[in-house]
Structures are given as C-alpha cells and as structure tokens.
Amino acid sequence: MKIMNQEMLQQKATTLRRDIVEMLYKAGSGHPGGSLSAVEIVSALYFQEMNVDVKNPEWRDRDRFVLSKGHAAPVLYAALAEKGFFPKSQLWELRKIGSILQGHPEMKNISGVDMSTGSLGQGFSTAVGMALGLRTDNSGSRVFALLGDGELQEGIVWEAAMAAPHYKLDNLTAFVDYNGLQIDGPNEEVMGVHPVTDKFKAFGWNVLTVDGHDFKGILEALAIAKTTKDKPTMIVARTVKGKGVSFMEDQAGWHGKAPNKEERDQAMTELGGLDHE
Amino acid sequence: MSKMMATREGYGKALVELGKENEKVVVLDADLSKSTKTAGFGETYPDRFFNVGVAEQNLIGLAAGLSTTGKIPFASSFAMFASGRAFEIIRNSIGYPRLNVKICATHSGITVGEDGASHQALEDIACMRTIPNMTVIVPSDGVEAMTAVKKIAEFDGPVYLRLGRSGVPVINDHENYDFEIGKGITLKEGGDLTIIAAGLMVHEALKAAEKLEEKGVEARVLNLHTIKPIDRDIIIKAAEETGAVITAEEHNIIGGLGSAVAEVLSENMPVPLKRIGVEDTFGESGKPAELLEKYGLTDEKIFKTAIEILAR
C-alpha cells in the first residue's frame, strides 16, 4: 500500500473540507459541524488505513467503514468521491430529489457505503455484527466505525459496547468524534457523557485518546489498534466542531445548518481560496 | 384429539436441520434461547450461535451487520421485544437497506398465557407489515413453521416470522408439506361465505366450518400464512364467489390480518366483512385456553359471526 505523507493527507483534508462546504451550500441543508470535525479521521481511514477497491466496491475481503453518526454523510461522500467510488459531480446533487446521495448514507445505491445509517447508535451495533461475521469466517478484513459524542447517549451504543469485547472483536476499531457539542448545546449541559474513556475502558475496550485533527496521532493510534489482540479498540478523538471554518468552529448552531452564499465564499477563502479550482 | 405442537417447537427443530444444510445460517438470541427454542441450534453449532444477552436492539443491529458479510441471520426473541422494542432498528437497519435477516419472534399473541399483557404481543403484525421490504409470515401449526424456516432461508430479504408459545393442533400433518410465500391456501371449499384465518385461528376456522356444515352452510376456509405480501387474488376471488368474509387472528383487530384483508376488499371487491381478533384491548394473565375463550378467539365466535353475517 502506498504510504501517504502527512502533507498529502493534509491536502486531502482541505479538499474534503472544501467539498463539504460546497455540497452543503448547493444542497441548502445538511450538517457541516460534525462533518468538518471528522475530516481527519475519515481521511486517515480512506486515504491511508483501509483496504478498499473502488473498482470492486462489494469486494468480500475489503475493510468496512460504518458512519454511525450518519448525519456527517457529507464527509463520507466527499471521501468516497475523492477516492473515486463515484464522480465528484454527484456531490453537488446531495439531498436533491432523484439523487443517489441521500441526506444520510444509504448502502444500496451509493457505491462504497457499507451500511445505511442515520438513526443514531444503530451503525455501531451493525459494525459489531460485521466484525462478528468476518471473524466467524476467519477473514482478515477489518471494520471501522465512527460515532458522535452526542450519539453516546443512545442506549443501543452501550449494548453494542458490551458485546464487542465479549466477543473479543479485535478486528473492530471505532472512533468517537468528541467535539463536545450536540444540537441543543454542549454535551455536558444536555446529558453528560464524560468520562468517555473510562466508560469504554470499563466495558473492556482498548481505549486510546488522540487529537482528532492530528494525522500523526490518528495513524499511530490506528497502528496500535491493528496489533491489539482480543479486544476492540476505541479511539476517542478530541475534535473541534466545524473545524477549519472560523465562524463555524465550536458553534452548536452549525450542527445542522447550510451556509449561504456569503458564508460559503468566506469559508472557501479560509480553505485555500475562492477561486481555488 | 389431534397431535399438538407449538410453532416455536417446529422452528427450533427446523433450525437444527437448516444449520446442517446451510453453513451461512447463524442464529442470534437475547437470553431466551430455551424458550424460543434456538438452544438446540446453539448446542449443535456453537460457532454460529450468538447469545447477545438481554439486549434486543443490539440483537437486531448485530443481525443486520452479520447479514452484510453474507450470513443468513435468524434473530429470535419474544414478539413483544423483537417487534416492539427493536422496531426502529428493524425499520432502519434491516427494512430500509433490505438486508437478508429473518426475525423469528416467539410468544406472540394472547396464548403467552400466565405472563400477562406485558408479554402478549398483539400489535406485532401491524408494526411489521408497515415496513417496506418486509415479508410477514404467521404459521398455523408446527409443521407449517418448519416449512417456513426452509422457505425463508431460501428467500432473499427481510422476514418477520410470527411464532407462538403454546401447543396448537397439527393441521398440516402430511409428509413434504409445502407452501409458497405470498400464496394463501384453500383448506376447504365452500360458496356461502369465506373464513380467512392465520396462526392458531386456522384450526378454529376449520372447526367453525364443520359446525356451519351441520347447519347447511358451506364455508370456504383460507389459511393466509403470509400476511405480507398478501395474496390479493385468493381474497378477491373468495369474496366474489362467496359474497361475505370473516377474518380470524390472534392479534388486535386493528392493523393485522383483518385490516390487511379489509384493505384488499374495500378497494377491489367490497363485500360484508367481520374481523375476529382481540378487540383493541390488552390481555391478562390466565391459561391460554381461558384467554382464547374470554377474548373471543374461538370456533364458536367464528360460527356465531358467520350466522350473523349470513342473516344480514
């Protein structure tokens, strides 16, 4: 596998951020905050860690990715398009009638999407099921899942969190995109999820914490996850909601709101220039 | 008295057979494997059996994930929890992506008995049949349940198989019993009215038809084992040829077999229709036979309803 240096990954991250902003601007609705906070995690997975084949998206021995926080669909779609699963022009059809790109990921029509998600907590549970199925077949394939921090408030998350270590699923690696904010405000005000690392440790996970915008840290954590035996790994990634667009950063209000023309122009200026492409 | 067998017994036996024939079959349970009868599969194929504990949402989520890796998961719990607590996970993670998961729910209906209303699922058919892509099957006896297991394993797509706790008379007692998913079965011909039944009420319908025959009334009896996709043709033809229809089910009269038949008839062949079932109320503790009697799920109720419908 080609190893990307961090500079190349940074470029990918910027491209994904620009695509997210543009796609939400064109869609007129969607979720920028939690898409932007997960850019480095998703980039590290798709452009470095995961073994997938764009020519054969259903390949049996591929690694799988489940976006359990399905509202961050734009970051997944941007990564899949950049990877080559479908033409980038599709991105501008996001959320429009007749488009393959639904508001939340849909596995049957979108090439490269491994699980339909959107209802919080369920993706994590299905990812545990995938890891169980692959392990039963002695497959070398691995499963990656991405959860939001607000999503941890769903009961099914803890049912799944209990099951994965029980089955010793070391082929499962999950991330928490820990940006601290949810729709109605800070997690700790709405319904405290702290301490996240201790909770997963107590459930029997190998827990690692990283800066979710630092590729070096993310890749190191993924390397540890890969060699950890008999336990699933949970990588708690500290992130900034809306990362990369100054006026969206750390603002709960940008959880589910699309930028207007002015805001889109400013965001693009910050992300490498208005006439970048 | 005819041989008795619970549909869950048939399910458990057939699963063990299926496990031998098809290595893709995996079974999941939520700490009820002795009651749902999946324990036999678990003992025979421990590597393909997953007990997820008392966690029905995760039961369904895991089954969905397993199916994406090429497995054919059979996920079991009591109907109340499988269809009720896990409803939205079935809807979003199985129905929407049309995954090949078989939800095999036991202890449906009022014949759960002594455990009472909290455990008597009377709305599961209604919930499951509103989910696009979902097939809903209600076997009438243990033999049909065994056949259903084979049929749904061959069928690619989500299925809800509704099974019961209590022993029910075997009515399909012949070798190589077979049925086609989505095709109702005419158990008795008749031209005066039609009784459409599912589950344990099929036996009651047959008994009612015998009583009616003594009165000179020829009732047609249909076993509508598949509630969805519903066999429109057999229903419309029966209504056209007999002029009146009675439905009988161990379920709330709202949303189940009776509603499904009413939908077909009102749009295609409106004829007098009476729905027999639990009349929009919760059950209670008691012996299965006592409950069937109290809530009007008997051959006698069908008989009387038939006389009424013919008199109007």
Side-chain angles (χ1 to χ4, degrees):
Chain A
M1 197 198 318
K2 194 172 124 195
I3 304 229
M4 281 211 162
N5 62 35
Q6 283 179 50
E7 201 177 316
M8 290 162 78
L9 283 169
Q10 291 291 2
Q11 284 169 12
K12 290 285 186 195
T14 301
T15 302
L16 260 52
R17 284 203 162 87
R18 292 179 63 86
D19 288 346
I20 290 166
V21 169
E22 187 66 14
M23 129 174 54
L24 289 171
Y25 164 64
K26 288 198 159 82
S29 71
H31 299 84
S35 297
L36 292 167
S37 65
V39 164
E40 280 77 14
I41 296 166
V42 172
S43 297
L45 288 173
Y46 275 99
F47 304 118
Q48 180 59 60
E49 185 71 6
M50 281 172 55
N51 196 13
V52 294
D53 182 358
V54 294
K55 292 192 191 70
N56 188 6
E58 304 282 311
W59 177 38
R60 248 183 86 88
D61 296 326
R62 73 188 185 281
D63 291 337
R64 271 87 167 160
F65 176 68
V66 179
L67 183 66
S68 197
K69 46 172 287 185
H71 55 280
V75 68
L76 174 60
Y77 296 160
L80 293 175
E82 181 68 18
K83 192 86 181 167
F85 280 100
F86 49 79
K88 212 164 222 190
S89 57
Q90 298 269 14
L91 294 180
W92 320 135
E93 301 301 316
L94 170 70
R95 289 175 167 249
K96 290 178 182 161
I97 193 145
S99 168
I100 59 161
L101 297 191
Q102 295 296 297
H104 294 81
E106 195 277 315
M107 68 189 284
K108 291 280 157 146
N109 293 308
I110 310 174
S111 177
V113 172
D114 292 316
M115 186 66 210
S116 299
T117 53
S119 180
L120 295 176
Q122 297 183 26
F124 187 40
S125 176
T126 63
V128 175
M130 284 180 193
L132 195 55
L134 294 167
R135 217 266 311 275
T136 305
D137 288 341
N138 295 314
S139 163
S141 302
R142 300 171 66 211
V143 179
F144 298 90
L146 175 58
L147 292 86
D149 46 11
E151 183 176 11
L152 302 180
Q153 293 156 355
E154 287 282 3
I156 190 175
V157 166
W158 301 101
E159 295 184 6
M162 199 181 297
H166 178 81
Y167 294 122
K168 300 183 167 54
L169 297 176
D170 52 22
N171 57 348
L172 174 67
T173 301
F175 285 86
V176 174
D177 178 1
Y178 200 173
N179 60 41
L181 295 174
Q182 57 191 106
I183 298 178
D184 278 350
N187 306 146
E188 295 311 307
E189 282 177 22
V190 176
M191 178 49 66
V193 296
H194 183 76
V196 173
T197 53
D198 288 351
K199 284 188 172 82
F200 281 101
K201 273 181 195 162
F203 273 68
W205 289 66
N206 172 43
V207 184
L208 305 168
T209 55
V210 301
D211 172 347
H213 301 302
D214 169 35
F215 278 114
K216 187 165 174 286
I218 295 170
L219 294 174
E220 280 170 5
L222 284 168
I224 294 168
K226 196 170 190 171
T227 54
T228 299
K229 294 292 165 209
D230 297 330
K231 274 184 175 195
T233 293
M234 178 61 71
I235 303 174
V236 179
R238 273 287 177 183
T239 57
V240 174
K241 196 152 186 159
K243 175 75 176 177
V245 178
S246 61
F247 57 91
M248 291 185 185
E249 286 192 0
D250 261 330
Q251 299 297 315
W254 281 100
H255 173 90
K257 187 175 80 163
N260 61 26
K261 175 78 167 67
E262 247 184 346
E263 290 159 341
R264 173 257 186 196
D265 287 352
Q266 191 192 327
M268 285 304 193
T269 305
E270 292 179 18
L271 293 167
L274 202 48
D275 305 314
H276 184 71
E277 276 155 25
Chain B
M1 194 176 148
S2 50
K3 195 164 74 178
M4 302 289 278
M5 181 183 185
T7 49
R8 64 175 167 143
E9 297 281 354
Y11 168 58
K13 279 183 195 165
L15 264 190
V16 177
E17 284 293 305
L18 183 66
K20 187 163 57 187
E21 291 161 19
N22 193 335
E23 293 221 326
K24 289 181 183 172
V25 171
V26 296
V27 175
L28 300 94
D29 206 295
D31 195 38
L32 291 168
S33 65
K34 290 181 186 72
S35 299
T36 61
K37 301 295 170 192
T38 62
F41 184 97
E43 283 155 23
T44 318
Y45 313 102
D47 295 344
R48 287 189 274 148
F49 179 74
F50 306 106
N51 193 336
V52 306
V54 191
E56 294 80 13
Q57 300 180 56
N58 199 42
L59 171 84
I60 298 301
L62 257 56
L66 278 157
S67 77
T68 69
T69 67
K71 305 290 175 202
I72 307 174
F74 281 65
S76 283
S77 179
F78 287 179
M80 179 59 67
F81 317 124
S83 73
R85 181 177 300 228
F87 172 80
E88 197 243 303
I89 299 141
I90 296 173
R91 193 262 186 203
N92 274 322
S93 294
I94 293 176
Y96 180 35
R98 203 179 183 282
L99 293 180
N100 193 23
V101 175
K102 319 303 171 186
I103 300 143
C104 301
T106 66
H107 294 63
S108 64
I110 205 156
T111 51
V112 165
E114 292 82 348
D115 277 352
S118 62
H119 284 54
Q120 295 164 346
L122 294 169
E123 48 290 284
D124 53 327
I125 295 174
C127 294
M128 290 297 112
R129 81 183 181 92
T130 60
I131 298 175
N133 296 330
M134 185 62 75
T135 291
V136 179
I137 298 175
V138 184
S140 57
D141 70 358
V143 174
E144 197 165 63
M146 292 176 76
T147 306
V149 170
K150 282 183 207 159
K151 288 282 169 188
I152 66 177
E154 289 163 10
F155 173 81
D156 183 25
V159 175
Y160 180 75
L161 183 65
R162 187 186 205 235
L163 304 161
R165 172 188 173 229
S166 304
V168 292
V170 174
I171 54 179
N172 303 298
D173 194 11
H174 46 95
E175 275 184 37
N176 305 319
Y177 172 76
D178 199 10
F179 72 82
E180 195 181 332
I181 293 172
K183 292 283 172 213
I185 297 167
T186 306
L187 289 175
K188 183 181 171 300
E189 287 291 354
D192 295 335
L193 84 160
T194 302
I195 307 166
I196 302 178
L200 59 78
M201 291 306 286
V202 174
H203 182 254
E204 299 304 309
L206 286 169
K207 282 198 293 181
E210 275 176 32
K211 285 186 185 175
L212 287 165
E213 201 156 359
E214 288 165 17
K215 297 271 178 191
V217 176
E218 291 294 335
R220 184 177 301 189
V221 178
L222 305 183
N223 169 11
L224 218 66
H225 48 72
T226 307
I227 312 288
K228 187 186 176 187
I230 198 159
D231 187 347
R232 296 160 53 90
D233 294 348
I234 202 169
I235 295 169
I236 294 167
K237 184 165 177 278
E240 187 176 21
E241 292 174 1
T242 70
V245 172
I246 293 171
T247 60
E249 62 189 313
E250 189 196 5
H251 186 275
N252 193 335
I253 53 167
I254 298 174
L257 169 71
S259 294
V261 169
E263 289 157 14
V264 173
L265 291 180
S266 60
E267 286 187 343
N268 299 282
M269 187 63 61
V271 297
L273 168 73
K274 283 283 183 186
R275 295 167 297 149
I276 293 174
V278 176
E279 297 191 12
D280 198 23
T281 183
F282 291 103
E284 65 184 81
S285 292
K287 291 193 171 65
E290 294 169 340
L291 292 164
L292 290 171
E293 182 72 32
K294 180 165 179 177
Y295 290 85
L297 305 178
T298 60
D299 60 331
E300 188 60 25
K301 177 74 180 283
I302 299 171
F303 172 80
K304 282 184 182 160
T305 306
I307 299 297
E308 280 167 31
I309 206 169
L310 288 171
R312 66 185 223 185

